[in-house]
Amino acid sequence: MNRFIAYIRTFYAYIQTPKGRYDFLDFLRAFLIIILVSVFIGAFLQELMKL
């Protein structure tokens, strides 16, 4: 458990740096794009299955 807490603290310290903040925002943006594309593909495939 202590290792996990240390990892979270290190990650939080990294996010507070300008480079870390930029990298984290890039990660969030990529994650959001992947989720949205997956949702649209799933909806499209569901519509195809109805035909």
Side-chain angles (χ1 to χ4, degrees), residues 1 10 13 16-17 20-21 23-25 28-31 34 36 40 42 45-48 50:
M1 188 68 176
T10 304
Q16 290 179 341
T17 65
R21 190 175 305 122
D23 289 348
F24 185 68
L25 289 176
L28 283 179
R29 189 178 304 126
F31 183 74
I34 289 170
L36 287 174
F40 284 128
L45 289 177
Q46 271 189 334
E47 289 297 320
L48 278 180
K50 289 180 182 178

Side-chain angles (χ1 to χ4, degrees), residues 1-10:
M1 188 68 176
N2 287 338
R3 280 184 153 184
F4 181 70
I5 291 172
Y7 177 75
I8 295 294
R9 285 183 181 163
T10 304

Side-chain angles (χ1 to χ4, degrees), residues 9-22:
R9 285 183 181 163
T10 304
F11 184 68
Y12 185 69
Y14 178 66
I15 287 177
Q16 290 179 341
T17 65
K19 183 183 181 333
R21 190 175 305 122
Y22 182 76

